[in-house]
Amino acid sequence: MLALRRIPRIMKWIKRMFWFVFIYFWFCLPSNLFENQYSTVLEDSKGSVLAAHIAPDGQWRFPLNDSISDKFKTALIEFEDKHFYNHWGISIRAISRAMLQNIQAKRVVSGGSTISMQVIRLSRERKGRFIGDKLLEMLMALRLETKFTKQEILNLHASHAPFGGNVVGLEAASWRYFGHNSFQLSWAEAATLAVLPNAPSLMHPGKNRTALKSKRDRLLKKMFEKGLLNKWEYETALVEPLPEKPKPLPQTTPHYMAKLSLNGKAGQRTITNIDALLQQSVNEVVKRHYEVNIQKNIANMAVVVLDVKTQQTLAYVGNTPCDARHQNAVDIASSPRSTGSILKPFLYAKAMQNGQITPKMLLADYPTRINGYSPQNYEESYDGMVPASQALARSLNIPAVRLLSEYGVTRFKENLNEIGLTTLFRPADDYGLSLILGGAEANLMELSRAYSELSRATQGIGNETKFDRAVAYEVLSAMASVNRPKVEMYWTRFDDKQKIAWKTGTSFGARDAWAIGLTTDYVVAVWVGNATGEGVPGMTGSSTAAPVLFDVFQLLPKSKWFVQPMASMSYVKLCKESGQRAGQHCSNVQEQLIPKTCLKARSCSFHKLISVSKITNERVYNNCEKPHNIVQKSWFVLPPPAEKYYKANHPDYIPLPSFKKGCDQTPDNLEIIYPTKNSTITIPVLLSGELGKIVLEAVHRQENAELFWYIDHQFIQTTKTVHQMEVQPPKGKHLLTVTDEQGQTESRFFWVE
């Protein structure tokens, strides 16, 4: 009776024990099964490792893979757990067999662990073989089976199993021992890796090679006998040699790897759009040019290749294979550098989109001074006037500076920010007009994406393009007309060559050489120079960066040229001489296609109606010539300082005829303020002991008038808005002459002592 009275109490304790065991069972697995540190791995889209960093704990342990190769899976299950798919984490058959083997050997030779139990042991990092540990592993393995799928359990095992030395996980082992990913494993390689975790400290490719091969071959034989591989696969696998010492992991994109690590990707596997084969080929191009450049004291280089349509990076070279003395660790592709002329296409595009210029409109190209800034063309030569498309193609500095002055520095800086240039963080006034000639800094990566917007806009890609389609087409057409480097001089004669829009730039002091080219499919951007900022005489974008650019394009599939976006263009009558919309006095008019945004451009300002004497062909007014002797003529008139340079390249240009004596009537708009007439000037001596300069000054009634300055009949430069000129004339008598756009002239003598 006493025993019967105890039954309810016993049942109560049994229930408590049951719930305790159930709760323990349910929560026996930690939320994160593995708390390991992982290697940082960078892969291309096909699974090839581009670069990898060892984990902080010194292990080559790749992050968990979503799947494993079928060959390794087959070999692993056959070797470790033949009934893997038929049990719930515990195999009674395997445990019984292990107990029998241990009794016969009188020591522990087998644990009877399933793959699930091995995963638990790896997660607990257990070293011993105590019965208590084994029982706990069995319980946790059973819980593992209820929480994860069989495929996930295999992935956990493959990612955390030891493979000898400091190699952990299938992917790391595959790359370290065979130099490729696990999905490319042969049957022999898969079998080798399947047997390694069984005793990684005693057997790996660096030692005990005979025992390892014997173990591998036994596994291959079992799989052959079960029909898992055919006779040819089996015989081929048997003769395949074991790997030698571990191979170094690929490091084809070390700087891109560092860039991702800094952006929070450390310890992760990152799959990129970089093409491993293209990357390796670009690396070889960089190495080849580096070996030539280093002889010229040019140590560094960066190259970026983008896919235009996706804007994904296809190749990324952050630096050359130089040494630490030449800053090999610096990622030049992401480092801000002086832009030189590389921003000019964006200015021409925005000015055209704003209706400020047309593609063929003449722009001034003669010595200019704007608010104290005096730009110079690279070759220190001038055209007088030059079509906008040619000014861009030839990268002339003076037309670009004058265009920026009219367009506005603040507005252009905002435009650059809009297309993704984040390094222009200073106020617009700090950059001034030098912004277009290298006064700002940008990095190669952002510039390549900004240039891709021109290609995307021309093709109508994207919902909101940064540029008008027709405007982008005109800009790219101008860039395609640039003369290529000597090695590419005759590219049009070869069928395998393609049309490329490209632009170069060289910063002040020859510190940075740029070349960026683009097609419908690709953007290639190149920077060459020294990471230290040291300039190299003679280094230019055309001579140093452009050859790299065209070598890289040779590696890419050929692209078709852009299709002219007719819907965004309109036929308009243009003045043939000025390239502006035809005005009422233009005599030579032709109809041309231009972007619709240019329809708001001003009409021709160069053709003027003048009165000429029928008798003398001199310019006259009604009050100095009889009306019946006067004829009205349309005349193509250039600013006075432009005529000299323009006429040298255009012998057909005819300057304005001179006035008939007594007919020169001009309004009183211009006056020279300093120096005064017949004054004597002393040039001050600076604290450094050098001579200073004097400031000449004039005023004009028209606010935006442009004045042209001459000293002793020698043209100096122009001024606009603020008419001041710093000069350092030698001692003696001098004649100062100032002329406006209408031809009004003021002159005076002064002396310097």
Side-chain angles (χ1 to χ4, degrees):
M1 294 296 293
L2 182 62
L4 291 175
R5 286 198 299 268
R6 290 181 177 176
I7 289 176
R9 183 180 297 178
I10 293 172
M11 293 301 295
K12 183 177 180 181
W13 279 104
I14 290 175
K15 288 180 181 179
R16 289 179 178 177
M17 184 62 68
F18 170 80
W19 283 110
F20 173 79
V21 172
F22 178 79
I23 293 171
Y24 179 80
F25 169 79
W26 194 256
F27 293 100
C28 65
L29 287 182
S31 56
N32 292 321
L33 201 58
F34 291 92
E35 295 288 352
N36 300 120
Q37 296 174 311
Y38 295 98
S39 302
T40 305
V41 182
L42 190 68
E43 294 181 355
D44 76 351
S45 56
K46 299 176 183 177
S48 292
V49 172
L50 298 167
H53 286 171
I54 198 167
D57 62 358
Q59 302 293 307
W60 283 112
R61 185 189 298 106
F62 284 17
L64 182 67
N65 239 342
D66 293 335
S67 59
I68 58 176
S69 72
D70 290 335
K71 288 181 180 178
F72 178 77
K73 187 191 305 182
T74 300
L76 177 65
I77 291 174
E78 181 61 30
F79 183 74
E80 291 285 2
D81 191 353
K82 299 180 184 65
H83 305 288
F84 175 69
Y85 289 108
N86 300 319
H87 62 67
W88 283 81
I90 304 170
S91 174
I92 303 301
R93 185 182 305 178
I95 292 174
S96 301
R97 184 180 63 252
M99 290 176 63
L100 181 60
Q101 291 174 349
N102 294 338
I103 291 171
Q104 291 174 345
K106 296 182 179 180
R107 61 187 179 88
V108 178
V109 295
S110 176
S113 296
T114 62
I115 290 176
S116 301
M117 291 171 65
Q118 291 178 31
V119 169
I120 296 300
R121 186 175 71 248
L122 291 171
S123 70
R124 298 179 64 224
E125 299 182 352
R126 181 176 67 84
K127 305 299 183 183
R129 293 190 175 189
F130 300 106
I131 294 177
D133 290 320
K134 179 67 69 174
L135 292 174
L136 181 58
E137 286 172 8
M138 293 169 66
L139 179 66
M140 294 178 71
L142 183 61
R143 178 68 181 101
L144 185 74
E145 291 276 349
T146 64
K147 187 174 182 179
F148 295 94
T149 65
K150 290 288 188 179
Q151 181 61 47
E152 290 172 336
I153 293 171
L154 286 172
N155 293 346
L156 288 169
H157 183 280
S159 296
H160 298 91
F163 284 87
N166 66 341
V167 180
V168 178
L170 172 63
E171 282 303 313
S174 183
W175 279 101
R176 288 286 280 160
Y177 295 139
F178 302 111
H180 54 71
N181 66 47
S182 65
F183 291 92
Q184 296 174 308
L185 290 172
S186 66
W187 279 112
E189 293 169 344
T192 302
L193 294 182
V195 302
L196 270 179
N198 186 253
S201 62
L202 298 177
M203 228 180 329
H204 61 84
K207 61 183 180 180
N208 300 328
R209 297 175 61 80
T210 302
L212 176 59
K213 186 175 185 304
S214 176
K215 204 168 188 179
R216 179 201 73 176
D217 292 349
R218 288 198 301 272
L219 175 57
L220 289 170
K221 184 178 180 180
K222 286 182 181 180
M223 291 192 293
F224 169 63
E225 290 172 346
K226 285 192 174 184
L228 298 175
L229 60 163
N230 59 41
K231 185 177 180 181
W232 180 84
E233 291 172 331
Y234 172 59
E235 292 176 348
T236 303
L238 287 177
V239 298
E240 191 170 318
L242 290 175
E244 299 297 332
K245 63 181 181 180
K247 304 175 184 293
L249 282 161
Q251 298 294 339
T252 54
T253 55
H255 296 91
Y256 198 57
M257 162 71 82
K259 177 184 175 72
L260 292 176
S261 295
L262 291 174
N263 290 333
K265 298 291 186 179
Q268 300 179 29
R269 172 184 282 104
T270 302
I271 299 175
T272 71
N273 288 87
I274 289 179
D275 184 302
L277 294 178
L278 174 63
Q279 180 69 44
Q280 187 60 45
S281 298
V282 174
N283 286 351
E284 291 171 1
V285 168
V286 170
K287 181 180 179 182
R288 186 168 68 249
H289 282 274
Y290 162 72
E291 290 171 350
V292 174
N293 289 345
I294 196 64
Q295 306 301 320
K296 306 173 186 177
N297 296 319
I298 304 172
N300 306 104
M301 185 186 308
V303 178
V304 171
V305 181
L306 288 188
D307 182 303
V308 165
K309 295 177 177 60
T310 64
Q311 290 191 308
Q312 296 294 327
T313 306
L314 302 180
Y316 187 102
V317 179
N319 211 327
T320 58
C322 58
D323 54 25
R325 183 168 59 94
H326 292 112
Q327 310 291 318
N328 62 341
V330 176
D331 180 5
I332 300 293
S334 297
S335 301
R337 305 291 303 195
S338 175
T339 54
S341 298
I342 209 69
L343 301 178
K344 286 178 182 174
F346 305 126
L347 174 62
Y348 280 85
K350 288 299 182 181
M352 204 179 300
Q353 194 161 311
N354 191 47
Q356 189 172 325
I357 60 173
T358 66
K360 303 298 181 183
M361 174 178 164
L362 289 181
L363 301 180
D365 181 34
Y366 43 77
T368 300
R369 181 186 181 89
I370 303 176
N371 297 335
Y373 183 54
S374 302
Q376 298 291 326
N377 287 334
Y378 179 76
E379 295 181 351
E380 297 185 0
S381 61
Y382 310 96
D383 282 38
M385 303 296 295
V386 61
S389 58
Q390 286 188 29
L392 172 58
R394 293 167 54 194
S395 195
L396 298 176
N397 290 340
I398 290 176
V401 169
R402 295 174 66 96
L403 185 60
L404 178 59
S405 176
E406 294 179 12
Y407 183 79
V409 176
T410 300
R411 180 162 57 163
F412 184 55
K413 175 182 175 290
E414 291 173 353
N415 295 151
L416 294 175
N417 292 147
E418 290 168 359
I419 59 175
L421 302 189
T422 63
T423 52
L424 283 77
F425 52 85
R426 289 184 284 148
D429 290 343
D430 283 4
Y431 297 109
L433 296 177
S434 68
L435 172 62
I436 199 63
L437 301 184
E441 294 183 330
N443 66 59
L444 196 68
M445 192 72 214
E446 291 183 350
L447 279 171
S448 62
R449 287 206 172 96
Y451 266 82
S452 75
E453 293 293 349
L454 289 170
S455 180
R456 289 166 62 85
T458 308
Q459 300 175 75
I461 299 174
N463 296 327
E464 296 182 9
T465 54
K466 306 293 191 303
F467 302 98
D468 176 81
R469 290 189 69 175
V471 165
Y473 177 83
E474 291 291 343
V475 169
L476 295 177
S477 297
M479 291 167 59
S481 66
V482 180
N483 291 328
R484 297 191 182 186
K486 291 182 179 179
V487 293
E488 290 276 330
M489 188 177 298
Y490 303 106
W491 68 275
T492 55
R493 301 183 184 180
F494 301 94
D495 293 336
D496 63 334
K497 297 290 185 177
Q498 62 178 329
K499 194 173 182 180
I500 298 169
W502 66 294
K503 181 73 183 74
T504 62
T506 308
S507 68
F508 179 76
R511 294 182 176 89
D512 307 273
W514 303 83
I516 301 180
L518 60 161
T519 64
T520 52
D521 298 311
Y522 304 104
V523 174
V524 176
V526 179
W527 177 92
V528 180
N530 288 309
T532 59
E534 179 184 356
V536 180
M539 184 184 74
T540 66
S542 296
S543 65
T544 313
V548 182
L549 175 85
F550 288 104
D551 280 354
V552 173
F553 265 113
Q554 288 292 322
L555 304 173
L556 299 170
K558 189 176 180 180
S559 301
K560 294 182 179 179
W561 184 244
F562 300 93
V563 176
Q564 193 171 19
M566 301 296 292
S568 300
M569 306 186 81
S570 180
Y571 280 100
V572 177
K573 290 182 178 180
L574 297 181
C575 173
K576 186 176 181 180
E577 287 90 351
S578 70
Q580 294 177 320
R581 296 183 64 190
Q584 59 177 333
H585 302 310
C586 293
S587 55
N588 195 352
V589 176
Q590 57 186 9
E591 201 168 44
Q592 291 186 357
L593 264 177
I594 64 172
K596 289 182 179 179
T597 60
C598 297
L599 296 178
K600 50 189 174 183
R602 63 179 181 268
S603 58
C604 181
S605 58
F606 292 91
H607 280 88
K608 303 181 185 299
L609 198 63
I610 64 171
S611 298
V612 180
S613 171
K614 291 181 180 178
I615 301 173
T616 65
N617 286 325
E618 295 174 303
R619 292 176 69 186
V620 295
Y621 289 110
N622 291 334
N623 62 351
C624 60
E625 183 62 86
K626 296 178 180 179
H628 64 272
N629 286 335
I630 298 177
V631 61
Q632 301 291 317
K633 287 187 177 182
S634 174
W635 210 278
F636 180 53
V637 182
L638 294 179
E643 290 185 344
K644 171 185 174 182
Y645 303 105
Y646 187 84
K647 195 173 182 180
N649 296 315
H650 301 82
D652 57 337
Y653 173 74
I654 303 174
L656 275 171
S658 58
F659 279 101
K660 183 179 179 180
K661 188 174 181 180
C663 285
D664 187 359
Q665 296 182 1
T666 56
D668 188 18
N669 289 329
L670 172 64
E671 181 182 353
I672 295 176
I673 302 299
Y674 186 82
T676 57
K677 290 183 179 180
N678 299 318
S679 61
T680 299
I681 300 173
T682 301
I683 297 181
V685 178
L686 303 178
L687 293 175
S688 63
E690 299 177 350
L691 285 177
K693 295 181 179 180
I694 58 174
V695 179
L696 310 180
E697 185 174 4
V699 293
H700 199 282
R701 292 184 186 276
Q702 297 179 10
E703 183 179 352
N704 294 319
E706 186 170 13
L707 302 186
F708 311 97
W709 298 70
Y710 302 79
I711 293 182
D712 300 330
H713 306 291
Q714 181 68 38
F715 175 68
I716 306 300
Q717 57 188 19
T718 66
T719 58
K720 195 171 184 179
T721 308
V722 178
H723 303 297
Q724 294 179 337
M725 175 76 60
E726 285 186 337
V727 293
Q728 192 184 69
K731 291 182 179 180
K733 183 180 180 181
H734 300 285
L735 173 64
L736 171 64
T737 304
V738 183
T739 304
D740 69 6
E741 296 169 288
Q742 306 302 320
Q744 181 181 354
T745 301
E746 282 286 309
S747 299
R748 64 185 49 178
F749 288 100
F750 67 95
W751 278 260
V752 174
E753 63 178 18

